[in-house]
């Protein structure tokens, strides 16, 4: 099970209101919410919910209005004990939540990106991967306590399990988190590094200081999700033959769909995420495969060093 507690600072209201509305997955049970700020006196608070086509829409009402311009801070807690879904699973074998899947934390809008602190407590021996930069020292991590600071607006996601870690240094350091040994590990690291170089030249500076590829078991048709600063990759992609197009597509989401997105309900908005991520995947695959062919031709002496390999690109 997962037990969630937290505080949430909402955007300042532009007009007086006595209703705070937000959404949360129906899998999150026993929700309790309190208003920490502003300090309301002589007021009563009620919490009601309604189904909104899958997620639960919550309305927190106060008998005394919250004035415009006031800062609002909520304290919340809830628990989930449930069967896994494509982008949410809590189990001894490995747990994860995708930021674009289940609403595992309260949100005023699915399109919102947040900043803040994420603190995870897991069984000792497990490793947590999440957004932002890790703040907890190794001794604290060994106890199962992981703290992340998220400065860049993100949709929060995480994975936790008994991972082994392979790392690759470079301009953007890479880490590969494995639940099971695989003969494809080095090829994944090298291939992703090459693809990232092509995509950076194509789309601009990589949005994060480091990047991680994390093995999970989606137990569905989902093959991978591009989270903010890491990829959740299904074990089939880790164990199977290396598929550069797949990895380059998920890497492309670090720019398209994550960093850059369209307004909600905009026509053709999928072209700005899935479409351009796939466009980058095609170019990266062509370039990397061309470089591999050129290297092979050099080794086999099929053309001299002063000849151009541009035809392969």
């Amino acid at each position: 099970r997962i037990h969630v507690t937290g505080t949430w600072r909402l955007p300042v209201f532009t007009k007086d209101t006595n209703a705070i509305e937000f959404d949360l997955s129906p899998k999150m049970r026993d929700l309790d919410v309190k208003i920490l700020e502003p300090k309301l006196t002589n007021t009563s608070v009620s919490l009601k919910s309604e189904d909104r086509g899958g997620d639960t829409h919550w309305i927190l009402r106060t008998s005394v209005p919250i004035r415009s311009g006031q800062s609002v801070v909520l304290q919340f807690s809830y628990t989930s004990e449930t069967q896994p879904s494509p982008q949410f699973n809590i189990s001894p074998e490995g747990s994860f939540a995708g930021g674009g899947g289940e609403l595992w934390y309260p949100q005023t809008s699915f399109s919102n990106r947040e900043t803040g602190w994420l603190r995870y407590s897991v069984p000792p021996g497990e490793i947590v991967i999440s957004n932002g930069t890790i703040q907890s020292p190794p001794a604290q991590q060994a106890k199962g306590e992981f703290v992340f600071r998220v400065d860049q607006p993100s949709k929060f996601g995480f994975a936790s399990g008994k991972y082994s870690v392979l790392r690759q240094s470079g301009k953007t350091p890479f880490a590969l988190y494995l639940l099971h040994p695989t003969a494809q590990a080095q090829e994944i690291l090298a291939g992703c590094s090459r693809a990232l170089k092509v995509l950076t030249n194509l789309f601009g500076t990589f949005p994060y200081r480091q990047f991680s590829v994390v093995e999970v078991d989606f137990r569905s048709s989902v093959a991978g999700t591009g989270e903010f600063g890491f990829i959740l990759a299904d074990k089939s992609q880790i164990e199977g033959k290396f598929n550069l197009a797949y990895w380059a597509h998920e890497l492309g989401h670090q720019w398209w769909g994550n960093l850059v997105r369209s307004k909600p309900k905009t026509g053709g908005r999928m072209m700005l995420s899935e479409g351009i991520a796939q466009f980058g995947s095609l170019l990266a695959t062509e370039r990397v495969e061309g470089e591999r062919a050129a290297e092979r031709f050099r080794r086999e002496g099929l053309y001299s060093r002063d000849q151009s390999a541009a035809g392969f690109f």
Side-chain angles (χ1 to χ4, degrees):
R1 68 175 182 151
I2 178 174
H3 182 64
V4 182
T5 63
T7 55
W8 182 20
R9 183 176 297 277
L10 298 171
V12 173
F13 292 108
T14 57
K15 59 182 180 180
D16 294 358
T17 184
N18 66 343
I20 299 174
E21 302 184 33
F22 59 91
D23 297 316
L24 188 63
S25 168
K27 295 178 181 179
M28 307 301 147
R29 308 288 187 183
D30 304 320
L31 174 65
D32 181 63
V33 183
K34 295 181 175 64
I35 299 176
L36 299 184
E37 296 180 19
K39 298 295 184 181
L40 301 176
T41 57
N42 300 320
T43 184
S44 60
V45 177
S46 65
L47 184 64
K48 294 185 178 181
S49 66
E50 56 186 51
D51 185 10
R52 288 284 182 92
D55 294 316
T56 301
H57 186 74
W58 291 90
I59 305 173
L60 182 70
R61 295 191 181 277
T62 60
S63 58
V64 175
I66 298 172
R67 301 300 180 187
S68 64
Q70 286 187 308
S71 178
V72 178
V73 177
L74 301 181
Q75 182 182 65
F76 58 86
S77 67
Y78 46 86
T79 300
S80 180
E81 298 181 70
T82 183
Q83 294 297 315
S85 58
Q87 294 186 49
F88 178 74
N89 181 35
I90 305 298
S91 70
E93 293 75 29
S95 303
F96 61 88
E102 295 285 344
L103 297 187
W104 69 276
Y105 60 95
Q107 300 176 46
T108 55
S109 169
F110 185 75
S111 63
N112 280 6
R113 272 63 170 159
E114 318 289 353
T115 59
W117 291 81
L118 300 173
R119 298 174 174 86
Y120 301 91
S121 178
V122 298
E126 290 197 9
I127 295 175
V128 177
I129 304 94
S130 190
N131 316 95
T133 55
I134 192 163
Q135 304 293 306
S136 48
Q140 188 176 354
Q141 296 175 36
K143 297 177 182 178
E145 299 173 2
F146 293 78
V147 180
F148 297 83
R149 180 175 179 175
V150 186
D151 292 323
Q152 184 165 325
S154 304
K155 291 190 75 67
F156 300 148
F158 72 88
S160 175
K162 294 183 179 180
Y163 286 103
S164 60
V165 189
L166 298 176
R167 302 185 187 277
Q168 180 165 304
S169 59
K171 185 176 181 180
T172 301
F174 255 73
L176 176 59
Y177 291 83
L178 297 174
L179 292 172
H180 310 94
T182 175
Q184 310 299 327
Q186 292 302 324
E187 189 171 11
I188 292 172
L189 283 171
C192 287
S193 182
R194 286 187 169 191
L196 181 60
K197 182 178 180 182
V198 175
L199 294 175
T200 299
N201 290 334
L202 183 64
F203 297 143
T205 303
F206 188 66
Y208 307 98
R209 286 172 285 195
Q210 58 188 18
F211 192 75
S212 299
V213 173
V214 186
E215 179 185 2
V216 297
D217 184 1
F218 281 115
R219 306 182 187 185
S220 69
S221 60
V222 176
T225 59
E227 305 298 328
F228 286 70
F230 61 98
I231 292 173
L232 293 180
D234 187 66
K235 65 177 184 178
S236 62
Q237 301 298 322
I238 299 289
E239 298 168 352
K241 184 179 179 180
F242 179 74
N243 182 355
L244 179 60
Y246 160 83
W247 295 105
H249 177 95
E250 296 302 339
L251 279 168
H253 280 309
Q254 300 307 306
W255 289 270
W256 305 101
N258 288 4
L259 184 67
V260 179
R261 67 189 191 278
S262 63
K263 291 182 179 179
K265 300 181 181 181
T266 300
R269 63 186 182 277
M270 294 300 287
M271 286 299 296
L272 196 61
S273 56
E274 298 298 334
I276 303 185
Q278 186 63 13
F279 169 72
S281 171
L282 293 172
L283 291 183
T285 301
E286 181 184 24
R287 177 60 61 89
V288 172
E289 293 299 335
E291 290 174 349
R292 287 177 173 175
E295 290 174 0
R296 185 174 70 253
F297 278 29
R298 290 190 188 97
R299 290 195 305 269
E300 297 174 0
L302 297 181
Y303 69 91
S304 61
R305 289 185 178 180
D306 59 351
Q307 286 179 299
S308 171
F312 297 106
F313 301 157

